[in-house]
Amino acid sequence: MLPALGLAAFDATSPLAPWRFTRRAPGPRDVQIRILFCGICHSDLHTVRGHWGPVAYPLVPGHEIVGRVVATGADVTRWREGDLVGVGCIVDSCRTCPSCAEGLEQYCEEGMTDTYASPDRDTGLPTQGGYADVIVVDDRFVLRIPPGLDPAGAAPLLCAGITTYSPLRHWAVGPGSRVGVVGIGGLGHMAVKLAAAMGAHVVVLTTSPDKVADARRLGAHDVVLSTDRDAMTAQKNSLDLILDTVSASHDLRPAFALLRRDGALCLLGASPEPHRAPSTSSFIMKRKTLAGSLLGGIPETQEMLDFCAAHQIVADIELIPASAVNDAYERLVKSDVKYRFVIDIGTLQG
Ligand code: NAP
Ligand code: ZN
Ligand code: ZN
């Protein structure tokens, strides 16, 4: 077994605290990675606080991981000691089902192995995530961080980046597309940057007046306060695709009304509570779609990282020491983050 030091949740309400634990012993196909940076995703908070159901504690969250390879198993040929690599939300899958065969491991028919809080396919023990000094990951689920990307700013690409990139590609966004983004947090700010880089006209819908100027700086062409009825009405019948990244229950009808014929509202936010849904006629009258999307597969994650390197895109981050994680969680609950917290893992002390 490999000793590790992490920041763990011990129950649904107490602060995260340092915890010494063990990883599985690295096997012939494994890559051992010294973690440098790990982003804080709202999914980490949903999980450790039990919003999505019971979990086994202690639990080390974190699935936006950038680090350096320190050792490789005998069968690993792609990586060498010192390589800068990333690990996202998926660390294993069945590898043979139709979804895995298509490189869509997030939709693995047997269920993917999440980076944390999932039974490890080898040991059966719960996986532990990236708020830690070291991780062991199968070669096939390790991503290359292209040169030129700031390693700390690249960490959030491993979840917030791919989760927004994948639906933008699925709905074939490009020049001439009109894309709405609801909620400017970790996912939302990446959606704006990526959609703008793909050539789309981007409209941000936010509840936060203090994010209006930032949204334009991130690449939005229009910014609408979703509480401003007149401004919302002015955008009616104008958007082809809306990515909804809101982390809490909300009314979907105002955004749905902004879609034009054949438009799609794609849910990315994973609120544990249901949303107020659009009426049947609002689907029928303009052949609209209400959809959802989960993460992105390993090949598409690499494609996204290469796209970000080509367009010089990283997340806007607040780099924090490990000791500030609990404050960061409280700020995340208040939508007070610009726009992703990233933990400097070098500051982690037992
Ligand atoms: P985040 O940084 O906290 O951003 C969420 C944003 O939603 C906030 O900044 C805020 O934006 C808006 N918001 C929050 N509460 C709201 C409310 N009650 N009503 C309206 N707007 C509200 O979170 P994140 O890390 O981007 O994650 C967002 C959600 O996506 C989470 O539920 C997370 O679990 C989920 N997620 C899903 C996937 C997937 O594969 N589908 C992957 C990763 C994360 P404004 O201030 O601009 O309004
Ligand atoms: Zn995430
Ligand atoms: Zn599979």
Side-chain angles (χ1 to χ4, degrees):
M1 300 297 262
L2 185 74
L5 171 65
L7 275 178
F10 292 87
D11 56 49
T13 52
S14 310
L16 274 67
W19 180 50
R20 291 194 185 278
F21 64 107
T22 51
R23 304 277 190 191
R24 71 164 184 254
R29 291 184 324 208
D30 280 332
V31 182
Q32 188 179 322
I33 300 163
R34 181 169 58 86
I35 299 178
L36 299 172
F37 301 105
C38 187
I40 297 181
C41 178
H42 209 113
S43 301
D44 301 346
L45 189 150
H46 286 312
T47 306
V48 303
R49 296 200 169 165
H51 294 173
W52 291 336
V55 283
Y57 300 102
L59 165 58
V60 179
H63 56 208
E64 293 184 335
I65 299 165
V66 167
R68 286 209 185 269
V69 173
V70 287
T72 54
D75 297 346
V76 176
T77 53
R78 284 201 305 154
W79 310 110
R80 282 185 212 299
E81 191 184 335
D83 284 350
L84 190 66
V85 293
V87 179
C89 309
I90 314 171
V91 290
D92 211 345
S93 70
C94 86
R95 304 165 187 223
T96 55
C97 75
S99 294
C100 286
E102 279 186 64
L104 298 169
E105 298 89 349
Q106 75 275 34
Y107 302 119
C108 173
E109 261 105 286
E110 283 187 11
M112 67 174 196
T113 305
D114 295 74
T115 302
Y116 56 81
S118 234
D120 182 296
R121 280 183 141 79
D122 293 334
T123 65
L125 296 170
T127 54
Q128 302 289 358
Y131 301 2
D133 56 356
V134 67
I135 192 165
V136 175
V137 181
D138 186 288
D139 164 32
R140 184 171 164 148
F141 294 85
V142 176
L143 284 311
R144 190 177 74 94
I145 304 295
L149 283 184
D150 169 57
L157 302 179
L158 277 308
C159 175
I162 184 57
T163 300
T164 48
Y165 182 89
S166 186
L168 291 170
R169 280 286 185 241
H170 182 76
W171 273 274
V173 164
S177 309
R178 295 180 61 93
V179 175
V181 178
V182 189
I184 300 300
L187 266 61
H189 97 289
M190 287 310 310
V192 173
K193 290 186 184 213
L194 293 168
M198 290 174 189
H201 179 91
V202 182
V203 179
V204 158
L205 310 174
T206 178
T207 61
S208 303
D210 66 314
K211 294 182 185 171
V212 171
D214 272 350
R216 289 191 192 281
R217 178 180 56 75
L218 295 167
H221 303 89
D222 273 321
V223 186
V224 177
L225 270 181
S226 44
T227 46
D228 180 342
R229 278 182 162 232
D230 293 342
M232 288 292 279
T233 306
Q235 297 286 338
K236 252 187 154 171
N237 195 26
S238 72
L239 299 174
D240 300 302
L241 173 67
I242 299 174
L243 300 185
D244 185 330
T245 73
V246 173
S247 51
S249 171
H250 60 292
D251 189 346
L252 302 183
R253 296 172 304 169
F256 204 66
L258 308 191
L259 292 173
R260 57 188 182 192
R261 197 203 69 219
D262 292 325
L265 171 62
C266 178
L267 296 175
L268 299 178
S271 163
E273 305 298 334
H275 302 304
R276 178 121 196 218
S279 67
T280 306
S281 66
S282 62
F283 286 88
I284 292 173
M285 299 308 284
K286 287 194 190 301
R287 200 163 53 185
K288 292 179 185 177
T289 302
L290 179 59
S293 183
L294 174 67
L295 313 173
I298 296 300
E300 194 172 47
T301 305
Q302 191 62 63
E303 179 190 305
M304 176 275 310
L305 289 166
D306 296 342
F307 177 91
C308 287
H311 292 266
Q312 278 304 296
I313 294 173
V314 289
D316 285 24
I317 65 162
E318 290 190 44
L319 189 63
I320 59 165
S323 58
V325 162
N326 294 300
D327 293 339
Y329 271 38
E330 291 318 311
R331 286 184 52 198
L332 202 56
V333 172
K334 294 185 229 151
S335 303
D336 174 24
V337 46
K338 294 189 172 167
Y339 280 88
R340 196 56 134 189
F341 292 113
V342 173
I343 307 167
D344 180 354
I345 295 295
T347 63
L348 182 59
Q349 287 175 339

